[in-house]
Amino acid sequence: MRVQLIRSALLALPLIAASLSTASADGNVTIRGAYYKEHSTKVVQPMIDAELEAGEHGTFAGHLLVDSITSASAASGAAGTAFNESRNELGADYTHDFGDIRLGLGGRYSTEPDYQSRFVNLSLESDFAQRNTTIGVNLARGFDTLDNSGAQGGLSSILTGELDTTMISLSASQILSPESIMSVSYDLSYLDGFQQNIYRTVVAGGMISAERLPDSRLRHALASTIRYHLTPTNTTFIGAYRFYIDDWGILGHSPESRIIQELFDGDVDIHLSYRHYRQSAADFYEDIYDSGDVFEEPFLSGDDKLGDVRNHTFGFKTGIYLGLFGLEGKWADVRVDGLVQYLKQNTHYGDAIISQVALTFPVEY
Amino acid sequence: MSRLFCIVIVCVLTTSCVRVKPYQRGTLSKRSMAADKDASESRFEQHSRGSREGADGGTGEAGGGCGCN
């Protein structure tokens, strides 16, 4: 699949190059490579995204990605040995613009050897007060199935399960001034079904047990972002905050700040970012379980991310338009992005390095 | 912190009655003011955070969809 994706990307390049010299409808195509490295886990994710005009009032967005993971962690899919696994994902959305109202319909399919996921979503967005205010609602349903019968490592017990997800998201954005805008969103999601990791084990009462988690989870997330542009220096300040709570007892806060400095008449932008994340542990999470008895301790988890998590992310990103180098016409609008982040975590995963490189082409067809 | 967040929201919403005309929105149409992250960048970010943090959501997009929990 990865070979197919790379081949598709290579085939797309001449088409993109040709489209840069022809005309009619607009859009853009982004080819991105992402890399995530921890002490014992490495993820490489090549992806292609396209956003294209579809008719006079429609927009189509689609993506294709391959998620390739190499890990020595049993909880990631192997029984105590290092393993490699790939996940393939395909997504598509169509949005129709009715003027002050936009209606969208989308879907996503993801498959890996032991897990399949299907998502559909319907969105509605409307503008008010001369488009100073925008309010939106997004409904999504997910249907996941898992089956470890084809897993690497020769597991003795075969597990299968299903997980259904229902999400409703409400959003609002408000222009505050010619230089500032604010957005708020609230996501409510309900997960119903098998939520444990089928490979993760827990030491309970001196014995090794399989992870046991509740069959349902109700999650609330409230997030807000404020952007302000300082015109004399071409600097944008972004502040964001997310509050999270769920019925497993996890309560999370994540403030984030970003500064974007434009240079060379906007041909270059430099981003500096910092994000802090912290959460309390789930009610049933313990470092050590005393008995593992299903009545005394109905839920068992060895998942670090259900414990007390704190992390810090420091980021640097730059975007450069090729117009900076004297290229003209549509080539001047081709954009190259590079991103590096350092993630400092208090969990046993250890610190991580994240990097991404992307190339975005405007297309006309 | 959540209390501070609520206070900020209320203050902003109660002072946000200024109507900005279309011709005044040149700055707001800048990339940094609209969406400084591509869809693909945000998707990877959400995916990697979803496998390392217990909280999820707040992006308007459904997370999960893989066995990486």
Side-chain angles (χ1 to χ4, degrees):
Chain A
M1 185 66 190
R2 197 185 321 172
V3 173
Q4 289 174 344
L5 184 69
I6 293 168
R7 189 180 299 159
S8 301
L10 291 174
L11 287 171
L13 286 175
L15 293 174
I16 292 165
S19 71
L20 288 167
S21 58
T22 59
S24 69
D26 285 325
N28 61 65
V29 173
T30 300
I31 299 172
R32 179 178 296 271
Y35 177 80
Y36 182 100
K37 177 73 174 74
E38 285 174 350
H39 175 65
S40 59
T41 300
K42 183 174 74 178
V43 176
V44 178
Q45 190 178 108
M47 56 194 118
I48 298 177
D49 278 65
E51 188 176 316
L52 307 168
E53 286 181 356
E56 201 170 335
H57 301 287
T59 305
F60 169 82
H63 73 267
L64 175 67
L65 66 84
V66 177
D67 197 11
S68 176
I69 181 170
T70 303
S71 180
S73 166
S76 298
T81 56
F83 80 105
N84 295 289
E85 189 174 87
S86 286
R87 180 178 70 90
N88 305 308
E89 182 179 304
L90 178 68
D93 296 271
Y94 173 78
T95 303
H96 198 87
D97 192 339
F98 293 95
D100 285 340
I101 294 176
R102 289 168 294 284
L103 185 64
L105 180 66
R108 188 181 73 198
Y109 175 68
S110 169
T111 179
E112 54 196 299
D114 50 12
Y115 205 98
Q116 275 74 47
S117 175
R118 300 155 197 85
F119 255 95
V120 291
N121 74 285
L122 180 67
S123 63
L124 180 68
E125 198 174 71
S126 184
D127 300 320
F128 300 93
Q130 297 179 330
R131 299 198 171 188
N132 277 249
T133 305
T134 301
I135 293 175
V137 59
N138 185 25
L139 304 171
R141 282 277 285 158
F143 309 94
D144 296 2
T145 56
L146 58 100
D147 178 352
N148 71 351
S149 58
Q152 302 167 37
L155 290 167
S156 55
S157 59
I158 304 300
L159 288 174
T160 60
E162 295 182 350
L163 174 65
D164 291 347
T165 303
T166 305
M167 189 194 83
I168 179 167
S169 174
L170 306 173
S171 63
S173 68
Q174 174 68 47
I175 294 174
L176 305 176
S177 75
E179 298 84 23
S180 59
I181 186 166
M182 178 185 183
S183 61
V184 182
S185 69
Y186 167 70
D187 290 0
L188 172 69
S189 56
Y190 179 70
L191 287 74
D192 180 22
F194 195 93
Q195 301 186 54
Q196 40 271 48
N197 185 305
I198 50 181
Y199 306 104
R200 189 177 290 123
T201 54
V202 186
V203 177
M207 307 283 285
I208 294 178
S209 301
E211 192 174 50
R212 293 199 300 261
L213 295 178
D215 286 337
S216 68
R217 189 176 190 183
L218 188 65
R219 318 177 86 171
H220 307 262
L222 181 65
S224 181
T225 302
I226 297 179
R227 296 169 188 263
Y228 174 73
H229 187 80
L230 187 62
T231 304
T233 60
N234 271 331
T235 310
T236 300
F237 300 89
I238 302 172
Y241 172 74
R242 183 188 67 183
F243 173 77
Y244 171 92
I245 190 166
D246 67 27
D247 63 356
W248 286 9
I250 293 179
L251 193 147
H253 302 278
S254 47
E256 180 176 2
S257 61
R258 301 197 291 279
I259 297 175
I260 303 171
Q261 180 63 54
E262 291 179 20
L263 301 169
F264 303 105
D265 293 328
D267 279 342
V268 177
D269 45 71
I270 292 172
H271 306 225
L272 295 174
S273 65
Y274 169 72
R275 175 181 183 263
H276 173 59
Y277 173 80
R278 64 173 179 169
Q279 70 172 60
S280 59
D283 294 336
F284 53 81
Y285 183 84
E286 303 282 351
D287 289 330
I288 299 172
Y289 291 90
D290 296 329
S291 71
D293 180 84
V294 71
F295 296 106
E296 290 180 24
E297 293 172 329
F299 306 120
L300 307 172
S301 178
D303 187 356
D304 265 16
K305 70 173 181 291
L306 296 183
D308 184 1
V309 178
R310 286 160 197 263
N311 67 42
H312 306 267
T313 307
F314 305 90
F316 172 81
K317 175 181 156 184
T318 185
I320 301 172
Y321 289 96
L322 296 190
L324 178 70
F325 304 109
L327 293 176
E328 296 179 349
K330 294 176 182 60
W331 287 104
D333 294 328
V334 174
R335 179 181 166 94
V336 180
D337 280 287
L339 175 155
V340 178
Q341 291 176 325
Y342 183 77
L343 172 60
K344 187 167 180 54
Q345 305 183 96
N346 74 333
T347 57
H348 85 272
Y349 299 116
D351 297 350
I353 293 282
I354 304 159
S355 61
Q356 299 187 33
V357 177
L359 202 56
T360 301
F361 300 85
V363 293
E364 292 187 352
Y365 50 96
Chain B
M1 190 173 284
S2 56
R3 194 172 299 167
L4 176 65
F5 177 67
C6 291
I7 292 170
V8 170
I9 296 271
V10 170
C11 288
V12 170
L13 291 178
T14 53
T15 57
S16 60
C17 298
V18 177
R19 283 198 181 179
V20 177
K21 304 290 184 189
Y23 60 83
Q24 297 176 304
R25 295 178 192 169
T27 298
L28 296 171
S29 66
K30 281 177 174 284
R31 180 186 173 94
S32 61
M33 292 296 285
D36 59 304
K37 296 180 182 180
D38 286 339
S40 52
E41 180 185 340
S42 298
R43 188 172 56 240
F44 183 78
E45 191 172 75
Q46 187 185 2
H47 181 69
S48 57
R49 285 176 181 167
S51 63
R52 290 294 179 258
E53 298 174 357
D56 197 9
T59 62
E61 298 289 331
C66 77
C68 53
N69 68 336

